[in-house]
Structure formats: C-alpha cells, structure tokens
Amino acid sequence: MFLDFMESKGHLKMKSFSLVPHNDNSLLIINSGMAPLKPYFTGQEIPPRRRVTTCQKCIRTGDIENIGKTARHGTFFEMLGNFSFGDYFKKEAIAWSWEFLTQVVGLDPDRLYPSVYEDDDEAFELWNKQQGIPAERIFRFGKEDNFWEHGSGPCGPCSEIYYDRGEKYGCGKPGCTVGCDCDRYMEVWNNVFSQFNNDGHGHYTDLIQKNIDTGMGLERLAVAVQDVDSIFDVDTLRALTDHVGEVAHAVYHEDEKKDVSIRIITDHIRSVTFMISDGIMPSNEGRGYVLRRLLRRAARHGRILGIDGLFLSELAKVVIATSKDGYPELEEKKEMILKVISEEENKFNRTIDQGLTILEDLEAAMKEEGKTTLDGADAFKLYDTYGFPLDLTKEILEEKGFDVDEEGFKENMEAQRQAARKARKTTNYMGADVTVYQSIDPSVTSKFVGYDKLVSDSKILVLTTEDEIVEALTDGQNGTIITEETPFYGTMGGQQGDIGVIETESGSFTVKDTIHLQGGKIGHVGTMTKGMLTQGETVTLKVDEKNRQLTSKNHSATHVLQKALRMVLGSHVEQAGSYVSKDRLRFDFTHFQAMTKEELAKVEEIVNDQIAAALPVVTKETTIDEAKKMGAMALFGEKYGSTVRVVCMGDFSLELCGGTHVSNTAAINCFKIISESGIAAGVRRIEALTSEGLIHYYEKLSADLAEASAAAKTTPDKLTERIETMQGEIKALQSENEKLKNQMAKDAVGNVMDQVVEINGVKLLAVALKDTGMNELRNLGDQFKEKLGNGVVVIASAADGKVNLMATATDEAIKAGAHAGNLIKGIAALVGGGGGGRPNMAQAGGKNPDGIQAALKKAAEVLKDQLNK
Ligand code: ATP
Ligand code: MG
C-alpha cells in the first residue's frame, strides 16, 4: 500500500538494497532506507528519478539490548521510505504522511501526534494550518530528539509521528505523554528535512538542494493497524514466534521471562537469515562478527529455554517462507543459508562446552582461595574470548553458591568499548571521504565500448591531478582522464582493470589502472609520459592487448571452475569473491571443509575437459528475470540494472557477468589449481593458473628442478633416488661421528694423565681443555679424580670467550691440607674472574682466556702453600 501510494505521488519504486553497503566505509550494515541512497542525496550520483520510494531491509545492532524488552524494537526490521532529491519539501512530505496514515491505512487521527524541532516553525505551521491539527497536539522537542546531524555536512530538523496505543500500554507514571520511553506513544514515522549545511563549527547555511528522507517501520505500522501487543505479535512475525514456542515446548505469553527469550530468538533469526542471504559469513570481525553475535545469542536463548540440539536452521526456513516474496534472494540462497547456520550453531555448541570446562577450573580456584565472587576480568575474558555470555556464567555459578563481580565485568566491557570507539573514524552525516572525484560534474558519464574492440577514439571530458580538476595534464604529471567512450575495462566484479595508453600525435598518457568512479564514470589512472593532453581534445585509447587477453582467459576459467566446483562439491557452493588478473585467478566460495586431493583432481579434470571441448562463449543482454529463468546464478548483494549481461559457455556454464571473456574456451589452453585453503568460517579459496601463467609456472618448476639436480650431481629423473641415498649416507656419517666423539673424549682423559705432578706427596692434575661447559668439567673432574685415586684436579676451559674453572679434591688430599674452594679463590683473578666453594669442590667463571696457563701454574703454588701449613 505504501509503495503504491508513493508511486501515485510520482515516486519511482525501487527494490530493497543489499544489507552490505556499497562503496561506503562509514557504515558496517545498512540501517535505514536512506543509507544506500546517500550518493543521490549528496549529488554524487544522479538518481533515476528525483522522487524515490523503497521498502528497505535494515539491521540496527545498537538496539540489541532493547530486543524482547520493548514492544517496538528489532535488530531486523523493514523501513518504508519516500525520498526527495532536491524536489518536493516539507509541505508535500507532511501532507502525504498524514494522508497515508489517516486515509489509506485508516488510523484514527485522534490517536496520532506529530512532533517537530523546537525552532522549526515552518513544520509546526504545516501541521497546524495545513493539516488542521490543534496546536496542543503538536509537540516541540529539542536537538537531541528532532534534529539530524552527524559531524559536519548536510543536516536538518525532523518531524516524527507518534501513535497512541492506549492506556494499557502506558507506564502509568505521571507525565507519561508523547516522547515518554514507554511503549504507549510509539514513534511510527520520521520525516527528516535536510535543509542546512553545518561547516563543522556550528555555522548553518541553507543547502541549495533540499532533501526529504523519511522512514517508517513496517512492523510498527502493523502493530498500530492490527492493534497487537508488540512487533512480535504482528501476524507475519507471530508465525515465527509460535514456531519458536513449539520447539521450546513453551507457550508464548505465559511466562514473561521465557517470552523475552522467544522474542530474542524470533528477532535474531530474522537478522541472521537476511544477512547470510546478502553474503555475510560468520567471523570474528566486522559484519561477520555482528552475524556471529546474533546467531550465538539466539542459540544461547535456545539453551535457556531448554531446547536440545540444533534448531536455528528450522526457524530460518520459516523466515525464508514468509519473506521470500519481497526478498527472492532468500529462496535463491536457501541451501547455503541453512548450511551456514547449522555449521555456526554447531561450532557454538562446542564453544559452550569449552567455556564450561574453563569455568570449572575457575570455580576450583575460587574454592581453594576461599573466594565466593568471580573476578570481573575473568567473566569478561570468558565472554570476550570464548563467546560465553555473562548471564550464562552467572546462572551456572549461582547454582553453586558463587556470584560474579558484575561491576568489574562492566568496567572491562566499557574499557574495550572505549578502545573500539577511539579506533573508529569520524565522517559526516553522509559518511563521505572527500576526494577530487567528488567535485566532478555528476552529469559526466562514460560509456564502455571495449567488449569487442580494444582501440577507439573519443573526446576527453575531464582531467584531474591527484587533488584537483585541471584543463590539461603535462609530461611527468600523475592524474586521471575521463573520456566519453572507452575500450578500457574498469576494475569490477573481481576483474582487474585494463592498462594501455591514451594518445594524440603530440601527447601520450600511460594508463596504469582503470577504475569506476561514482555516477557511471570510468577513470583512467596513470602518468603523462610525453607532451600534453587537454580537455575537449580527441584522443586514441589503446588497451594493452596481451594483458587483456590473459586476463580474459583467467576470467573465463573462473566460470568453468565455479560450475565444476558445484558439480563435484554440491550446489551449496556459491561465489564469495574473486580476483582475476593477467597472472592468475583466485576464487572464493562457500564450502565447509578442506577439499580432498581427489576432489581437486576431479575439478581440474572437468575444467580441462571443457577447455578441450572448445565451447563457444556467447554473451547476451537480457532482463534479470529472464536470466534467472535461463538458470543464471546471481551474485550476493550485487545491484543489477534493468538489463543484465549473461555469459554462456556452451551448455556448460551460464553466469551473470559484466567482465571480458575469451570467445572460445579452447583459448584458455590449460588450467591448474595451485592452492586450496580456508580464509574464513565456511569460505574456501582456490588459486589457479591458465595458459601463459601456467607455462611460466612449469618453466620455473623445471628450472628449479634442474638446479637442484645439478647441485645433487644427478639428473631430474634420478633426483628422488639420489636424495634417498644421500639421506642414508648422512645417517651413517652421523652415527660414525658420534662414535668418534666418544672415543676422543676417552682418549683425552688418557692423555692428560701424563701431566700429573706430585706436590708434597699429593698428586695434582692441572689442565686446560677446549670448549667444555661447566657440567662437562665437573663430570671430567670426577673421572680424573678416580684415576688419580688421591689428589687434586684443576681444569680450565675457554668457551665462547669466557673461562670456566673448576677444582676438586679427594678426602685424603683434604686431610693433607688441600682446599678446592680456596684454591679457586687464589687463581681465579688470573682469568679475570672470581669464585670459591667447598673444600672438595669449587668452581668459578672468568672473562680472560689468555690467563689460563698462568692460572694453572699458580694452582701448583697455591696447593703447595696449603699443604705446608
Ligand atoms: P526509537 O527512538 O523508537 O528507537 P528511532 O528514532 O531510532 O526510533 P528512526 O531512526 O527515526 O527511529 O527510524 C525511522 C523509523 O524506523 C522509526 O520511526 C521506526 O518506525 C522504525 N524503527 C527504528 N528503529 C527500529 C527498530 N529497532 N525496530 C523496528 N523499527 C524501527
Ligand atoms: Mg532508535
């Protein structure tokens, strides 16, 4: 009704855009009807009509804490909107919103209350005079509620329409009226009048192009119309709510605590299902993390309700069935949506078990320390690292008489939030990063003519340097050239843009990259290498033919590969990304485990068979519906215009694709997969080569092999055998080496024995060894002592520029007056160190290896003194 009504007021109906923002890094997920239309509001792109209306799927994670608790919030909802890009303004917007609510939908006008920004007398007058609403029913609110602004840039007041649902929904507090946070007066529609520009210092000037941006929650409108408790009681959502109740063996509206869980599951499964249908995969960051959090939260509430086993994909089926008419992508991606959900739910169940084990350890530690409260930091770590929700931690601990330091948990959480907030970039209300390209006249567009020709002449429309629009580019300057027509393919759909030259008789520009700019412009980015090119001049654009050919081969191979993967692995395989350049191709797809050797071989074989079959490649333009009927696979989140291009390879493959291709699969020559790996949960990546790239790869392999064989003094065919022989030889040599070392150590002991001298009837062995560590010195000391029978042993060794010294004495020698500790003390200074020890055993370190001989000599003197006392 809404879309038809707005159509009757001259609006163009457009389909909901994907939840994944296009070319907008200021926003993680689309959260309003206006968000995907930003380029039309800023004037960056020319809208198909100046009045547009949509029903847009939206996700607001900012509302997550409200879900299940208020009657009016979902993380997922559908937003109805009408938009004016510099066309009609407040007068029409206000009149139409009133007409729609009171006459088309038939809501009781006495239950509707508008609000306006306190200084917006214009809007007030329109409500009061034009619509005849008594002044006391129109509420004026401050900036906080009724002014839309975000940093610098376009901004303006808004006017909201509230619906009074009646006393039974009120909080009953005195002063409960429009604007109260309770669920009685529910905001259904917001009309934003974007009329000012804020220069960032609070100075407001009138915008030349004034816009209207409105948003009405479809679910909230239905609550008013159907007169039900909450958005979860609206007929369509109720189907889902009841289904949740069924799996949980709970009846909705019997137990408030259970109801909250039921509503959370109902809401979250809607978000989850829609997100996956737009190609978002669970992960630990960005959109993927939002998805993971919602899915796990739903799973957790399932556990709280006592649901056993996997249940979420069953619910997703209900979401798909009830919403597929408006959002056909749900049905198209059904198999894959269900699979991703079950995989992730499974993974979460395992995580929960892991978390339980860790919690048990924490409990044991608390018991030991006599504590009864779990540290906030520990609870947060469980939550943050193991996805273990605080409620669950609390619940489990409570059963055992423990509690959790919730304040500490919140502090940790807040600290992390602050850190995240700091990391976030600031942008204006429209979220744009200003670049030189945004100052280009939006009516400038370029036409791609390069599917079947690589050279063409055209007029230069715009020239830019890196930061300004210029009349001419001269030798040495870097910049961008935009022409009326171009045979250069701009990077899109994973295919890298063309390179080449743009030239006249006197000037030449090397194109290093070709890109798409907002508003249907194709930019040739590069450097002037000769002369000058000026605006308005006719130039010849020449695409590098070799580069294009190789890229096309890889692109065509990607299509054959995708089909082969679906044949070998199953129809859950969906493209999740691709990259095609002259050197190689990369293809990301949904699949849940590593591919086996056999699967990889089978895929390669199919692709090479299709190359050998020399299939003609035919492209044609048609409508999206026709293409789907033909069996084309549409990509996630891709915006398709009124005509689409279909690429067929014989009867084998059929895909929607705007890229460039070979005219026959035989041109691909050959195909080989170089690697297969996982890049995210449920997403695999294949890297592969074709034709020249593959030949280069084999050339390099064969050169490496030849080099390796030469180094091993053999030929490639005998290399393996040679390596095995060499390994055998190395083993034999190693064991021989061991034997020799042992022998040498024994011999060394034998040799040194002739250095024994006798002092006053006590034998002294004072020797220097090489590279011996302290432990080995002690062992040797014991061995020597045994051989001496009775006497004193002093050994010194230099290792790594340091000196190790040790002395040991037998009992009998000690009785005669020897003292190893004092002996060491007496000689250590000569090797630049100090040390000491007991009478029978002492050691020291030093820094001066040159003093070893002197120290050993001194040992004899010191011992003599000891024995003489
Ligand atoms: P509230 O203050 O009730 O959260 P809001 O001011 O955030 O609403 P807007 O940002 O103005 O809402 O969004 C426009 C309309 O979209 C709202 O009037 C409402 O009908 C709907 N809407 C907003 N948030 C939600 C939500 N979380 N769930 C369902 N509908 C919503
Ligand atoms: Mg809100």
Side-chain angles (χ1 to χ4, degrees), residues 835-856:
R838 290 165 312 191
N840 64 337
M841 172 70 202
Q843 61 188 52
K847 295 186 289 275
N848 174 28
D850 292 340
I852 286 180
Q853 284 311 322
L856 292 177

Side-chain angles (χ1 to χ4, degrees), residues 323-339:
S323 299
K324 67 179 181 202
D325 291 343
Y327 305 91
E329 60 273 22
L330 292 172
E331 180 70 23
E332 281 162 28
K333 310 289 178 201
K334 182 172 178 178
E335 191 180 344
M336 120 95 204
I337 294 171
L338 301 181
K339 196 142 185 198

